[in-house]
Amino acid sequence: MLRYFTTGESHGEALVAFISGLPAGLTVDQAFLDRELWRRQQGFGRGGRMKIERDHAHILSGVRHGKTIGSPISILLENKDWKSWTESLPVEEGDPAKHKRVASPRPGHADLAGALKYNFSEARYVLERASARESTARVAMGGLAKLFLRALGIEVLSHIVAVGNTVLHGEVPWEQIVAICAKDEILLNCANHEMEQKMKAEVDHVLRTGDTVGGIFEVVAHGVPPGLGTYAQWDERLDGLLAGAVMSLQAVKAVEIGIGVAAAAAPGSAVHDEIGYAASSGFAGFTRPHNNAGGIEGGVSNGEDIRVRGYLKPISTLRRPLKSVDFETRETVQAAYERSDVCVVPAAGVGAESMVALTLARCALDKFGGDSMHETLRNYQGYLGQLKSF
Ligand code: EPS
């Protein structure tokens, strides 16, 4: 069973990712993992922190001689910024006068709900763990999940559909997504250059006005066979699993599969993807004129690309803060402000790729099993043969 967890605080010494259940014999491409981490750090609208960090997946266990060995894998991701926080955020008791209190909760952030829940008198510990810095650890694990899926012929990437009011309409073909994700410079990871410039102008505007902006990313999984997930039990439906996984990312407030939102307002005849047949096509010869379902019908992958969108609220740390209340005095004050990003839509897209990859890897292992890649791939080839002769 594939399981994965993260630990670590935004300004602590390091983040640590744990992933257990990957079969033995998977080749681990360190450069690929580090490039994934680099991709997550990019995007116009990132703040000063990304100039400090240079994320690297330091594998501590579970990989020997370049391959997984079936044991749990732990990955250490150093926070370079820790050196500025050793006195204000020590593991030991330290000097309370040096602690950096977060005196007033930010509307939209976990600050207030977290302080109430954990009985903290201010929000420092809340933001330390709620911070999207944690998604670094998810991307390290997601990189491993992607390498596993790649062995099965499955790739997962993302692109940006919207920043604020600037929205790219229509379906972006897979090849175009591959091309933009391969670039060595990432502005806003939008497939349309003109739209990307408009998105940049939106970010420029909020930068100037002390505000923040959200947007929409789309994760596409290509090469997914039919049959992952099942309609047979509610908690095994692939759409539910993906929605939960993507929604769990910091700042995501809505998730859509295929044309989900528009489908609610359209007649069935305009929504559903008609079924055709051409013997040499796809996994089992069935064809579709379009993919409004986003590759999932009845909670099961149907062999088309899986398309999942995440809708991101604007970052809740504002340079021109909203009203809040001082934790101690209960007087109206401005919400706390610390250095922050103003737009993280491309970075969130990379985080969501990881969550989709981890979810698909878990479903693939549920279906095909295997303690070694040899065994998993043999089972997988058997299933592909079954589909071909369906
Ligand atoms: C974040 C606040 C900022 C972001 C951070 C998420 O960090 P800092 O407080 O150090 O300026 O840059 O994101 C990351 C560190 C990251 O790696 O994505 C927050 O409060 O959520």
Side-chain angles (χ1 to χ4, degrees):
M1 182 186 176
L2 193 68
R3 287 179 294 172
Y4 29 92
F5 296 95
T6 71
T7 174
E9 287 87 40
S10 180
H11 304 101
E13 188 168 356
L15 299 153
V16 178
F18 296 100
I19 176 164
S20 128
L22 276 175
L26 174 68
T27 300
V28 174
D29 179 345
Q30 179 73 54
F32 173 75
L33 297 185
D34 288 344
R35 182 175 155 83
E36 290 291 287
L37 293 169
W38 172 84
R39 289 180 61 229
R40 196 205 66 90
Q41 289 198 264
Q42 306 308 301
F44 186 68
R46 295 289 256 156
R49 178 75 184 273
M50 287 305 98
K51 295 191 176 72
I52 300 170
E53 303 298 339
R54 182 171 286 248
D55 294 331
H56 162 65
H58 178 166
I59 298 175
L60 300 174
S61 62
V63 178
R64 299 291 155 195
H65 306 121
K67 286 189 186 338
T68 56
I69 56 170
S71 326
I73 297 169
S74 52
I75 308 172
L76 183 101
L77 300 124
E78 184 193 342
N79 283 326
K80 292 204 182 299
D81 206 23
W82 162 242
K83 64 177 187 317
S84 310
W85 288 80
T86 49
E87 290 193 329
S88 47
L89 209 56
V91 171
E92 59 282 3
E93 195 175 353
D95 177 358
K98 297 200 166 137
H99 295 188
K100 287 189 188 159
R101 285 170 49 83
V102 176
S104 52
R106 288 160 291 177
H109 207 280
D111 295 348
L112 178 58
L116 291 170
K117 176 175 171 65
Y118 291 98
N119 196 30
F120 296 143
S121 60
E122 49 93 19
R124 168 54 60 196
Y125 302 147
V126 179
L127 82 85
E128 285 298 326
R129 182 60 187 159
S131 165
R133 177 79 189 139
E134 182 266 352
S135 63
T136 313
R138 303 198 203 197
V139 170
M141 303 185 300
L144 289 172
K146 281 187 176 192
L147 290 171
F148 169 75
L149 292 173
R150 188 172 280 175
L152 274 52
I154 302 168
E155 299 280 342
V156 183
L157 289 171
S158 68
H159 67 105
I160 299 316
V161 171
V163 170
N165 284 313
T166 306
V167 185
L168 177 67
H169 294 285
E171 189 177 294
V172 176
W174 170 251
E175 295 69 26
Q176 237 173 299
I177 301 171
V178 172
I180 57 163
C181 291
K183 285 188 187 169
D184 286 331
E185 257 179 65
I186 297 172
L187 185 64
L188 286 157
N189 207 37
C190 178
N192 179 302
H193 177 71
E194 204 178 308
M195 292 303 279
E196 192 170 49
Q197 291 304 318
K198 283 191 184 156
M199 290 175 179
K200 178 174 180 290
E202 292 245 10
V203 181
D204 268 329
H205 177 72
V206 293
L207 259 170
R208 275 199 307 277
T209 54
D211 218 322
T212 58
V213 67
I216 307 170
F217 58 76
E218 182 175 63
V219 178
V220 181
H222 183 74
V224 181
L228 297 191
T230 175
Y231 52 80
Q233 199 54 267
W234 71 268
D235 61 350
E236 295 175 66
R237 294 177 78 105
L238 184 57
D239 40 11
L241 295 172
L242 288 172
V246 172
M247 187 73 118
S248 77
L249 275 163
Q250 294 83 354
V252 172
K253 295 298 278 184
V255 180
E256 176 183 30
I257 305 218
I259 62 154
V261 172
S269 56
V271 169
H272 300 299
D273 310 309
E274 288 184 311
I275 302 172
Y277 187 77
S280 61
S281 181
F283 289 91
F286 297 100
T287 61
R288 305 294 180 113
H290 37 66
N291 181 21
N292 291 341
I296 302 175
E297 289 169 306
V300 187
S301 63
N302 64 6
E304 301 296 307
D305 283 357
I306 291 181
R307 289 186 177 253
V308 189
R309 290 181 175 200
Y311 290 65
L312 231 66
K313 68 182 175 188
I315 298 271
S316 46
T317 308
L318 303 182
R319 191 156 50 79
R320 287 173 53 193
L322 295 174
K323 271 193 212 138
S324 181
V325 169
D326 187 283
F327 274 115
E328 206 172 306
T329 66
R330 307 289 155 101
E331 278 167 13
T332 297
V333 292
Q334 289 192 329
Y337 174 74
E338 279 183 13
R339 168 191 69 186
S340 182
D341 308 309
V342 299
C343 174
V344 290
V345 191
V350 178
E353 288 172 30
S354 293
M355 296 314 293
V356 168
L358 287 160
T359 305
L360 293 178
R362 182 183 270 176
C363 291
L365 281 165
D366 285 350
K367 183 157 173 59
F368 307 115
D371 293 305
S372 67
M373 286 306 287
H374 179 78
E375 188 182 2
T376 303
L377 291 175
R378 190 189 61 210
N379 296 347
Y380 188 52
Q381 292 306 328
Y383 179 65
L384 292 182
Q386 175 189 313
L387 290 174
K388 276 275 172 245
S389 56
F390 174 80

